[in-house]
């Protein structure tokens, strides 16, 4: 049943040769990789207004200038990343650029920052999508967290089905959102031109400045504007995802990726400018605290503010019950939730590259049944769900942890590209190519300067409001990845073959010991298998914790004519593990150059509840024996009848096709699933 459910949710397993079938055309790549920056239109304008209204309505005239700065920044970043996808088409994106040109440590800074920011992309996108659902259906407010976690689970299941299938599922909502917003913008601007400007439901409300933020001047006013600008820069989140996903495009990969990046930038800018313009035309008044609104006519504690895009849609299309309003809200909520898909593609891909470079566990480099990086997808889902639960899916609380990592990546990658072009110019002699390299270097230089300035602004304005937590998480991740890399390097050096002839020298003798508790079929199989290995010496070993049982075992041993000597070790304190270990270690002390092979007969069960009926002491005994130098441990499985069903292909671990596992019931080998065995130790 679990295997059948898995096939229904994820689909059939795919062979490695089918990887080319998962490559994306531009029409699917756009919603997959660009849904995050496109959907940020739904809340970027809102974040600008929320900061400016801290001082009341008097500072809203800064909005057009802040929006213009955001548009300029997005243009620079898009142009800069077009250089990246051509220069580094292997999919490493900012991480590869920085690692290659600025060194591994700087590359890890980018990687840690991006991994944290991918988690934040999922949490902010999903929480914002839930906000828009609640704007249309306020009665659902009490289910905010449950809805958010549920949407993460749905996204996880869709992405486990593979990149191409998730692209098909997410393409329609993204294009519906683009179409809905563009229709809303065009309709609203036409109404404005003909003299019937839309009016937001909050246009008549006033806003009381927050204490200390009224009549700001000088440096205080500059900081407010900069803080508003840094919040508006959420419109740029996810821009780098295309540079990380170049290998997922169809050929020519770099050209298609660059075209998709340009299309994403143009569409995002048009929608952002349109929504911001309509918010100002319709006089949307929004604040972080409804109790600072004046003229409500009702208790502020029970009033739920609609999002900016919801108020604009209602004003343009004729009210909160219009078809246009519900269409825009449904499309916005859906695309915001699906915007997390950008992270579900970027995080596993980056984690796979880091795993390949031995900075993260190797499991993150493996593809699952559907050729997706399943372990990375599951890790992202787990971290995101935990954050949504911990922060109650509150966008305002989560947004402060956002975008810091993105601008760290932007800045360092642009500096890395400048160094890359410097290296190209030192060797290139073709005048046309040199002019092209000079232009590219100029773009990246401007990009590095501007994004570095924004990084300083974001850090200064958001650090005490929660960004410190993102900095701490990235720092811990950086240290952890360094430690993992050091471990893998140390292990590789330790395992490297220095003298092949010496390593292949056979031991003088192999001394075999078969552990026995009672004489039955599993024991007989273990004895036969040990004998088939042709050891120099073979004996059976049992631990006596009950003299009557031991005497009965001796009688049956002689009765069946087993021609293997049976060694009995007394255990007055009823221990099993320690006497076995002491006996084996004693053999090693007497013959330090010989190999001791310990054979352990074990049961293989087919039902989870059977594990409760057979304890795990044999596993403990094996784990202790493995720490003893010169000792080889061999498990000899005996499959109980119930294990036949579990051996079928349905319900196998992810990747069984890729690993070439047989389709029939499992054979008698020591690599299958097993529990305790019928050794004396399994009784303890």
């Amino acid at each position: 049943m679990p295997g059948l459910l898995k096939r229904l949710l994820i689909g059939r397993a795919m062979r490695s040769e089918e990887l080319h079938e998962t490559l994306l055309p531009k029409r699917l790549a756009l919603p997959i990789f660009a849904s995050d920056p496109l959907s940020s239109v739904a809340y970027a304008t809102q974040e600008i207004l929320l900061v400016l209204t801290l001082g009341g309505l008097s500072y809203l005239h800064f909005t057009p200038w802040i929006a213009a700065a955001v548009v300029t920044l997005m243009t620079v970043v898009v142009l800069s990343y077009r250089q990246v996808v051509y220069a580094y088409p292997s999919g490493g994106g900012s991480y590869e650029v920085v690692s290659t040109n600025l060194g591994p440590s700087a590359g890890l800074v980018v990687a840690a920052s991006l991994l944290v920011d991918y988690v934040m992309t999922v949490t902010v996108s999903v929480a914002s999508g839930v906000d828009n659902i609640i704007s249309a259906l306020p009665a659902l407010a009490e289910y905010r967290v449950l809805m958010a976690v549920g949407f993460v689970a749905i996204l996880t299941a869709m992405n486990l089905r593979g990149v191409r299938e998730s692209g098909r599922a997410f393409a329609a909502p993204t294009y519906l959102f683009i179409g809905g917003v563009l229709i809303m913008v065009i309709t609203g601007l036409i109404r404005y031109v003909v003299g019937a400007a839309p009016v937001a439901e909050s246009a008549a409300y006033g806003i009381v400045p927050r204490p200390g933020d009224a009549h700001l001047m000088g440096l205080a006013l500059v900081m407010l504007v900069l803080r508003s600008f840094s919040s508006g820069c959420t419109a740029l989140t996810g821009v780098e995802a295309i540079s990380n996903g170049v290998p997922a495009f169809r050929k020519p990969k770099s050209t298609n990726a660059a075209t998709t990046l340009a299309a994403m930038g143009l569409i995002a800018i048009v929608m952002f400018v349109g929504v911001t313009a309509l918010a100002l035309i319709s006089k949307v008044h929004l604040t972080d605290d409804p109790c600072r609104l004046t003229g409500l006519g009702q208790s502020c504690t029970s009033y739920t503010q609609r999002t900016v895009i919801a108020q604009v849609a209602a004003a343009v299309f004729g009210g909160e019950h219009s078809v246009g309003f519900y269409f825009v809200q449904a499309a916005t909520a859906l695309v915001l939730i699906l915007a997390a898909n950008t992270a579900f593609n970027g995080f596993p891909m980056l984690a796979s590259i880091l795993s390949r470079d031995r900075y993260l566990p190797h499991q993150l480099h493996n593809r699952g049944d559907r050729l997706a990086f399943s372990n990375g997808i599951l890790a992202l889902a787990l971290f995101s769900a935990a954050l949504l639960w911990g922060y109650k899916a509150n966008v305002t609380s989560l947004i402060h942890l956002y975008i810091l990592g993105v601008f760290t990546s932007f800045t360092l990658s642009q500096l890395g590209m400048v160094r890359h072009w410097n290296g190209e110019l030192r060797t290139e002699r073709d005048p046309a190519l040199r002019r092209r390299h000079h232009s590219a270097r100029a773009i990246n230089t401007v990009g590095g300067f501007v994004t570095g300035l924004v990084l300083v602004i974001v850090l200064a304005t958001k650090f005490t409001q929660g960004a410190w937590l993102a900095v701490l998480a990235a720092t811990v991740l950086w240290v952890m990845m360094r430690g993992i890399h050091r471990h893998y390097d140390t292990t590789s050096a330790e395992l490297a073959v220095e003298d092949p002839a010496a390593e292949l020298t056979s031991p003088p003798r192999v001394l075999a010991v078969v552990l026995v508790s009672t004489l039955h079929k599993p024991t007989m199989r273990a004895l036969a298998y040990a004998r088939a290995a042709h050891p120099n010496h073979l004996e059976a070993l049992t631990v006596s914790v009950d003299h009557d049982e031991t005497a009965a075992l001796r009688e049956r041993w002689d009765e069946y004519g087993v021609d293997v000597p049976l060694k009995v070790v007394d255990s007055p304190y009823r221990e099993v593990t320690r006497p076995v270990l002491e006996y084996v270690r004693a053999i090693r002390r007497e013959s330090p150059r010989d190999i001791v092979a310990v054979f352990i007969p074990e049961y293989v069960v087919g039902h989870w509840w059977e594990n409760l009926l057979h304890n795990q002491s044999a596993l403990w005994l094996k784990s202790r024996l493995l720490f003893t130098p010169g000792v080889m441990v061999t498990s000899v499985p005996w499959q109980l009848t119930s294990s036949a069903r579990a051996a079928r292909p349905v319900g196998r671990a992810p990747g069984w096709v890729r690993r070439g596992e047989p389709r029939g019931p499992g054979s008698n080998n020591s690599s299958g699933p097993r529990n305790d065995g019928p050794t004396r130790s399994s009784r303890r």
Side-chain angles (χ1 to χ4, degrees), residues 26-35 167 170-171 174-175 338 341-342:
K26 294 188 289 294
R27 70 178 186 279
L28 291 182
L30 182 67
I32 287 177
F33 290 111
S35 56
F170 299 157
T174 303
Y175 287 123
L338 297 183
N341 194 59
T342 298

Side-chain angles (χ1 to χ4, degrees), residues 156-157 160 344 347-348 373-384 654:
T156 303
L160 288 173
F344 272 102
F347 183 100
F373 295 110
S374 305
N375 292 327
I377 292 170
L378 293 173
L380 176 60
L382 181 63
F383 292 135
S384 302

Side-chain angles (χ1 to χ4, degrees), residues 377-443:
I377 292 170
L378 293 173
L380 176 60
L382 181 63
F383 292 135
S384 302
L387 267 179
L388 285 167
W389 189 271
Y391 280 84
K392 309 298 182 187
N394 185 288
V395 177
T396 304
S397 300
L398 290 166
I399 202 74
H400 297 305
L401 283 71
Y402 205 20
I403 79 171
L404 189 64
V406 168
F407 279 96
T408 301
S409 165
F410 286 170
T411 304
L412 291 178
S413 67
Q414 299 313 305
L415 295 178
M417 286 301 297
V418 170
R419 178 168 288 187
H420 167 78
W421 296 124
N422 287 338
E424 293 292 316
L425 287 168
R426 279 194 293 268
T427 58
E428 185 60 61
R429 295 292 178 264
D430 187 310
L433 287 178
R434 286 185 64 83
R435 284 194 298 272
R436 189 179 303 172
H437 292 343
H438 276 296
S439 299
R441 184 176 65 176
I443 292 173

